[in-house]
């Protein structure tokens, strides 16, 4: 079995995440891509308020609903505390015994991979995959071996979507309908229930 780990804060999940996940799955012939919701995104801490892990998980579940080969991961939420990819990979290796694992990141994230906790362990446990990410043509650190996958470049980010909730610009087509429904039902991003 070939299993991809695509971790993120997903605050909120958007079409860039989904297009990336399905294209990497196709390009590398993965059986599954797990969109793993970070419990405590320690790398983003202190910069802004993040929606709760439970709300972000519900949005990811809605985003991947009915999409073949994508699943939402709650391992990091169940583990609690700060999320470390090396621990998450170890958990996936136990669940999918004998599976080949792939760690998928956008190039903005890949650029700072050297600063991740236990980066060497991540590189040992999985094949590193970097996808092109709009607006951040950054080179991943060369001491690691990277598999490059091209995906359609979509100029969309969670930050931009959060700004749109604030200033009222349209969100239509940038965010899955099911995700929008969760946002309305739970009153996230200042949207009235
Ligand atoms: P924020 O704008 O809040 O920083 P984000 O849009 O980068 O959020 P994350 O949940 O932090 O979303 O990202 C999870 C993963 O998805 C990262 O590896 C990131 O590089 C990748 N990613 C995010 N947006 C895109 C996109 N439009 N195309 C390709 N990859 C993306």
């Amino acid at each position: 079995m070939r299993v991809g780990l695509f971790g993120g804060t997903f605050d909120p999940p958007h079409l860039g995440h989904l297009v990336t996940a399905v294209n990497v799955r196709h390009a590398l012939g993965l059986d599954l891509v797990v969109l793993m919701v970070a419990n405590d995104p320690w790398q983003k801490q202190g910069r802004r308020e993040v929606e709760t892990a439970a709300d972000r998980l519900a949005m990811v579940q809605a985003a991947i609903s009915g999409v073949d080969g994508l699943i939402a991961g709650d391992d990091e939420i169940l583990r609690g505390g700060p999320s470390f990819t090396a621990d998450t990979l170890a958990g996936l290796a136990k669940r999918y015994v004998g599976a080949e694992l792939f760690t998928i990141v956008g190039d903005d994230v890949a650029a700072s991979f050297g600063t991740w906790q236990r980066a060497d362990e991540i590189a040992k446990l999985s094949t590193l995959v970097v996808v092109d990410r709009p607006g951040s043509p950054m080179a991943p650190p060369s001491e690691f071996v990277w598999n490059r996958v091209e995906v359609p470049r979509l100029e969309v980010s969670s930050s931009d979507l959060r700004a749109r909730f604030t200033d009222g610009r349209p969100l239509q087509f940038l965010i899955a309908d099911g995700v929008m429904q969760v946002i309305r039902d739970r009153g996230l991003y200042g949207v009235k229930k």
Side-chain angles (χ1 to χ4, degrees):
M1 206 177 174
R2 290 161 70 81
V3 177
L5 169 62
F6 186 37
T9 310
F10 301 115
D11 188 23
H14 53 67
L15 290 197
H17 295 133
L18 295 171
V19 167
T20 297
V22 297
N23 278 280
V24 173
R25 176 173 180 249
H26 178 82
L28 301 180
L30 306 182
D31 299 287
L32 268 186
V33 174
V34 185
L35 279 77
M36 187 65 68
V37 180
N39 178 54
D40 177 1
W42 54 274
Q43 287 166 312
K44 294 197 182 188
Q45 257 172 14
R47 291 201 225 155
R48 62 176 178 85
E49 290 256 317
V50 174
E51 293 292 353
T52 67
D55 286 336
R56 289 180 288 110
L57 177 64
M59 289 190 281
V60 171
Q61 282 166 338
I64 53 100
S65 158
V67 184
D68 263 0
L70 302 193
I71 61 171
D74 61 359
D75 307 39
E76 296 186 351
I77 298 173
L78 295 177
R79 213 162 56 231
S83 312
F84 299 115
T85 302
D87 298 329
T88 307
L89 284 169
L92 289 178
K94 267 195 199 143
R95 180 164 331 132
Y96 304 107
V97 177
E100 191 175 348
L101 301 176
F102 297 77
T103 298
I104 305 160
V105 292
D107 64 359
D108 58 323
V109 170
S112 62
F113 183 73
T115 69
W116 284 25
Q117 300 265 331
R118 291 143 64 199
D120 290 327
E121 210 175 312
I122 298 172
K124 261 192 212 123
L125 288 169
S126 66
T127 300
L128 303 178
V129 180
V130 58
V131 297
D132 276 333
R133 172 85 204 265
S136 46
M138 292 184 213
S142 54
E143 67 264 38
F144 298 98
V145 178
W146 294 92
N147 224 300
R148 273 200 168 265
V149 175
E150 275 193 24
V151 302
R153 296 176 73 86
L154 293 171
E155 296 282 344
V156 49
S157 65
S158 299
S159 325
D160 177 56
L161 294 190
R162 291 192 303 274
R164 285 168 183 269
F165 281 110
T166 308
D167 63 28
R169 279 175 297 149
L171 285 139
Q172 224 179 358
F173 308 120
L174 292 171
I175 199 161
D177 292 344
V179 176
M180 204 58 218
Q181 196 54 52
V182 171
I183 290 171
R184 272 193 225 103
D185 290 348
R186 297 183 176 222
L188 308 178
Y189 307 110
V191 173
K192 287 207 181 77
K193 283 196 202 190

